[in-house]
Amino acid sequence: MKLLSQGAEARVYETDLLGEKVILKERFEKLYRHPDLEKRLSKSRLHQEVRCINRAAKAGIHTPLILLVQVQKLRIFMEYVEGYTLKETFFREEKNENKALSERVAMELGRTICRLHRSNITHGDLTTSNAMLRSPDGQIVLIDFGLARPSKEAEDKAVDLYVLERAFTSTHATSPTLFSHVLKAYEQEGSEDPSVHAVLTRFDKVRKRGRKRMAIG
């Protein structure tokens, strides 16, 4: 196995399953929690992650295909997605001065997130590292649903958008218009859906709260 990344909740490996290259996501125990509580929480979060991925896929959102779930070992085996993260894509196209492609990708990301939210799922960790441009079809694939959860609340969806805006601001500061294309496509995708308008209205409020906290320090 090859370790690809480690977050606060899990490690992600490249490995093989029945001779095929796959991704293994393995949650690890938090030693500061009581063992029984830790086991219940970890299993609950594993089940929720799997449910959210499957629910998103049924709504037509591109996600890694789940191949095997080992609940007792807190493991999920998933399809290995060939391609590049949007973070890598935006950096590459900025270097190549291909502004048009970056804007098209940002627009498609906005449409994808809108479809996710209209399915009443929040991702919880929307960044350009958690979305991929798949090769060779160029489809956007959302990954890492470890913090995802079902939610109908406009506030939760607005916070999802705010997290993404902060990711663009910190990671892609030299391309300040990219997030505006995400937001524009999000609004267009849900132009006839009152719940989307509610999210965008709430987003303005979340954004103001965030800026006020930053100003205060």
Side-chain angles (χ1 to χ4, degrees):
M1 290 195 300
K2 176 184 177 183
L3 179 65
L4 298 179
S5 64
Q6 177 173 327
E9 300 284 334
R11 298 183 184 92
V12 178
Y13 300 91
E14 176 188 321
T15 186
D16 65 88
L17 181 68
L18 301 177
E20 295 291 329
K21 183 165 67 170
V22 298
I23 291 295
L24 165 61
K25 183 172 183 179
E26 185 176 49
R27 288 182 174 270
F28 48 80
E29 294 183 355
K30 303 291 196 309
L31 298 178
Y32 58 83
R33 290 197 192 114
H34 187 280
D36 291 340
L37 175 61
E38 171 63 23
K39 190 174 294 185
R40 287 198 304 272
L41 283 174
S42 295
K43 286 183 179 180
S44 174
R45 288 173 179 171
L46 178 77
H47 285 300
Q48 183 161 279
E49 181 172 1
V50 170
R51 284 196 299 268
C52 286
I53 292 173
N54 287 335
R55 185 170 170 178
K58 287 179 182 177
I61 296 150
H62 296 285
T63 64
L65 177 66
I66 294 178
L67 305 171
L68 175 67
V69 179
Q70 295 177 329
V71 176
Q72 297 304 320
K73 294 182 178 180
L74 303 175
R75 289 177 164 186
I76 307 174
F77 289 85
M78 292 175 276
E79 165 196 9
Y80 184 95
V81 178
E82 297 285 355
Y84 298 92
T85 65
L86 295 198
K87 179 179 178 180
E88 294 168 323
T89 300
F90 288 139
F91 281 150
R92 183 183 68 239
E93 299 312 323
E94 181 184 356
K95 186 176 180 180
N96 295 336
E97 298 184 352
N98 194 344
K99 184 178 179 181
L101 177 59
S102 291
E103 290 177 354
R104 285 200 300 272
V105 171
M107 293 282 284
E108 183 56 32
L109 178 60
R111 287 188 284 269
T112 298
I113 296 168
C114 185
R115 291 194 294 270
L116 184 75
H117 286 173
R118 292 179 73 188
S119 302
N120 291 322
I121 304 167
T122 55
H123 185 277
D125 191 20
L126 284 174
T127 68
T128 53
S129 295
N130 285 337
M132 295 188 67
L133 196 64
R134 183 166 58 194
S135 301
D137 61 14
Q139 297 283 0
I140 286 184
V141 181
L142 294 184
I143 62 174
D144 195 356
F145 280 70
L147 297 177
R149 64 190 183 95
S151 177
K152 296 180 180 181
E153 299 299 322
E155 173 78 12
D156 296 336
K157 298 170 186 178
V159 170
D160 239 9
L161 289 175
Y162 183 67
V163 168
L164 182 62
E165 182 182 38
R166 296 301 304 154
F168 268 96
T169 301
S170 62
T171 309
H172 307 283
T174 55
S175 302
T177 63
L178 281 179
F179 183 75
S180 66
H181 290 284
V182 173
L183 214 55
K184 178 181 178 182
Y186 185 100
E187 184 174 11
Q188 289 175 346
E189 180 72 17
S191 60
E192 299 180 3
D193 187 340
S195 71
V196 172
H197 293 295
V199 171
L200 291 171
T201 299
R202 179 62 65 174
F203 172 67
D204 285 336
K205 296 178 181 178
V206 170
R207 181 190 256 170
K208 288 174 183 175
R209 288 204 310 262
R211 288 174 176 169
K212 185 176 181 181
R213 282 196 297 268
M214 289 175 65
I216 294 172

